[in-house]
């Protein structure tokens, strides 16, 4: 990681299965458009309740991607 420059993008992923799936969905989708995605940080977790159960999970992430030199 010597002398690298990074940009940070905030994104939100969702899943009706698990928090981990929401994270994976967000990273997979962002990686299709952004190159050099190297790290993520979960900054918020939310969900939607339907009939007393979790309807879906929503996870806000910060993604770090490295600028090419």
């Amino acid at each position: 990681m010597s002398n690298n420059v990074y940009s940070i993008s905030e994104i939100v992923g969702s899943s009706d299965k698990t928090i981990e799936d929401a994270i994976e969905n967000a990273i997979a989708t962002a990686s299709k458009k952004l190159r050099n995605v190297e790290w993520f940080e979960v900054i918020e977790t939310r969900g939607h309740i339907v009939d007393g159960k979790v309807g879906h999970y929503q996870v806000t992430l910060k993604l770090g991607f490295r600028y090419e030199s």
Side-chain angles (χ1 to χ4, degrees):
M1 289 186 23
S2 62
N3 300 323
N4 291 326
V5 175
Y6 293 86
S7 185
I8 297 173
S9 181
E10 190 170 293
I11 63 172
V12 178
S14 63
S15 171
D16 59 357
K17 293 178 179 62
T18 66
I19 291 169
E20 290 82 4
D21 278 351
I23 294 168
E24 295 284 343
N25 291 340
I27 291 171
T29 301
S31 293
K32 291 177 185 174
K33 297 291 181 183
L34 299 172
R35 290 189 306 232
N36 304 320
V37 176
E38 295 191 354
W39 58 265
F40 73 94
E41 174 185 359
V42 174
I43 58 173
E44 186 173 28
T45 305
R46 291 184 295 281
H48 181 239
I49 299 169
V50 177
D51 297 327
K53 297 181 182 179
V54 175
H56 74 271
Y57 301 92
Q58 204 174 53
V59 180
T60 304
L61 306 170
K62 285 186 181 180
L63 288 183
F65 54 97
R66 180 179 37 81
Y67 280 96
E68 295 176 344
S69 38

